[in-house]
Amino acid sequence: WLDGGAQYQSSRPLLRNIGLRLRRLGVFCYVTNECLSDASALESWLPKAAAKEIAWAINQAVVNGLGGGRPLGIMNSNSRVTVSAVSGQGATTVVLQNVLDMYARIPVSLRPSLVWLYNPGIEQSLFRLQTASGQSATNFLQPDPNKRGGWLLMNAPALPIEACPAPGTEGDIIAFA
C-alpha cells in the first residue's frame, strides 16, 4: 500500500532451485507355468492385481511416506495440523465435534478441494454422527450422488483408506486440501 505520490520500490523475489528426480513404482509377481500356459486368464488377472497393489502402495506413501527419495506422507509432514479429542469421547470413535473442529482449521480458499481420508474402522462412528442434542447429523454425512457407494462429509468426498492409522490414533481421519 502506498501513500499518494509515493514511489514503488523494486524488489526481486528469492527463488531456489529444486530438483525433482523421477522414480518408478513397480510390482513384481511370481507366475506359475500353469498360469503362463493360459495367457488369456493371465492377461485378464495380472493387470487388475498389479493395479490394486500399486494403488495400495500409493495410498501408503500419501499417508505414511517417510520421504528420502520417496513421497513424504501426510502423517510425517511438518504442515500437519491436529485437533484434540473431545472431552468424554470414546477411545476409538469420531464425533461430530471432531469433524467440525477439523473443518474449521481448513482455510476457506482450500475448502473446494477438500477430501476426507479415513480408516475404515471408524465408519460406524461416521454413520452415527450426532449433534450435541442427540439429533442425527445426516446433513453432515451423505451418500455421494456421483459415486456409487461413496460418501460426502461436509459436502466433500470421504474415502476409506486402509493406510490411515488405526481408529483412536492421530490420523484415523484426515482432512486433506
Side-chain angles (χ1 to χ4, degrees):
W1 297 93
L2 298 174
D3 292 328
Q7 295 291 319
Y8 285 100
Q9 298 295 318
S10 64
S11 64
R12 292 180 180 249
L14 296 175
L15 304 175
R16 65 184 175 129
N17 288 327
I18 60 169
L20 298 177
R21 193 165 164 226
L22 189 59
R23 299 246 176 170
R24 293 181 290 172
L25 174 62
V27 175
F28 185 82
C29 179
Y30 289 101
V31 179
T32 64
N33 286 333
E34 184 178 355
C35 286
L36 284 173
S37 67
D38 189 356
S40 64
L42 183 63
E43 195 173 301
S44 67
W45 171 79
L46 187 57
K48 291 175 190 170
K52 285 181 181 180
E53 289 301 316
I54 289 172
W56 183 88
I58 290 171
N59 288 343
Q60 284 293 330
V62 166
V63 175
N64 300 307
L66 299 174
R70 295 181 181 189
L72 179 63
I74 296 166
M75 295 304 297
N76 294 308
S77 169
N78 290 334
S79 63
R80 182 181 77 239
V81 176
T82 60
V83 297
S84 300
V86 176
S87 177
Q89 175 181 346
T92 60
T93 63
V94 173
V95 296
L96 181 58
Q97 193 60 50
N98 300 139
V99 173
L100 295 175
D101 290 347
M102 292 172 74
Y103 190 78
R105 298 292 302 268
I106 298 166
V108 174
S109 63
L110 296 179
R111 289 181 183 170
S113 63
L114 174 64
V115 174
W116 297 88
L117 307 176
Y118 65 89
N119 182 295
I122 68 163
E123 270 183 329
Q124 291 300 320
S125 291
L126 294 177
F127 295 147
R128 293 184 182 126
L129 288 178
Q130 295 182 348
T131 63
S133 63
Q135 295 177 344
S136 174
T138 54
N139 55 328
F140 294 99
L141 182 69
Q142 302 172 359
D144 185 345
N146 299 317
K147 183 177 179 191
R148 185 176 177 186
W151 295 96
L152 297 175
L153 181 59
M154 304 287 291
N155 291 321
L159 308 171
I161 303 288
E162 285 139 346
C164 286
T169 59
E170 184 180 316
D172 57 359
I173 183 168
I174 298 169
F176 182 75

